[in-house]
Amino acid sequence: MSWFSEGLAAVDTALVAEVGLQGVEATDRPRLEVPRTRSLDGSANIDACLVAALPNDPRWDYAIGHADKLWLVEVHPASGDHCIHEVVAKAGWLKALIGSWSGPAGRALHWVASGAVSRQPAFSRKLRLLRKAGVLGPTSRLTID
């Protein structure tokens, strides 16, 4: 059992680690670039694993283990200001969920846009809110390396 699958099981036994990027929906995989695929420790579809138990929660999408680092990825529209609030809510939910994570300390929350990205000025209050929540992005593609 790898650090990734052990960490997921410690958070919630419903979270299932898949090989490579198999835990990521096929429609979302093209948004992720992994130059060193041999360093993948696995992936999990957090949303799909927990939808039955937590149907009304603002669930985060994916956890990906790569080179002993946990990548937490949300694929979500980025077309308007309301999207920022939705992703911030999901980030808060995720932080509460993984508070007991027992894997490596390196982890980052990434927002990958599922469509067009509505750019915010660097000094935007809403963008500062996103950064305060610890979320990087939105971006149209994410390189996991």
Side-chain angles (χ1 to χ4, degrees):
M1 197 176 242
S2 72
W3 68 268
F4 183 70
S5 57
E6 287 175 0
L8 289 174
V11 169
D12 192 306
T13 55
L15 294 174
V16 178
E18 301 286 343
V19 175
L21 289 179
Q22 291 180 22
V24 177
E25 298 277 339
T27 56
D28 293 334
R29 281 186 214 139
R31 295 179 172 92
L32 306 175
E33 182 179 337
V34 186
R36 297 181 304 133
T37 56
R38 289 182 185 248
S39 296
L40 278 168
D41 297 301
S43 60
N45 188 327
I46 299 170
D47 185 25
C49 288
L50 298 178
V51 68
L54 306 167
N56 299 319
D57 284 15
R59 298 173 309 279
W60 197 261
D61 285 333
Y62 306 112
I64 300 168
H66 184 270
D68 293 331
K69 184 176 178 185
L70 179 62
W71 294 71
L72 299 159
V73 179
E74 174 66 20
V75 178
H76 193 85
S79 56
D81 292 345
H82 68 283
C83 297
I84 292 173
H85 293 291
E86 292 169 357
V87 172
V88 166
K90 288 177 174 235
W93 176 88
L94 179 67
K95 287 178 182 179
L97 177 74
I98 65 169
S100 62
W101 179 261
S102 62
R107 60 181 165 208
L109 281 70
H110 297 274
W111 177 8
V112 178
S114 59
V117 178
S118 175
R119 295 289 176 198
Q120 298 284 324
F123 52 85
S124 160
R125 182 181 68 78
K126 290 180 178 160
L127 194 55
R128 285 194 313 259
L129 180 67
L130 191 64
R131 298 299 177 252
K132 186 176 179 181
V135 179
L136 302 172
T139 184
S140 57
R141 285 183 58 82
L142 177 64
T143 301
I144 297 175
D145 197 17

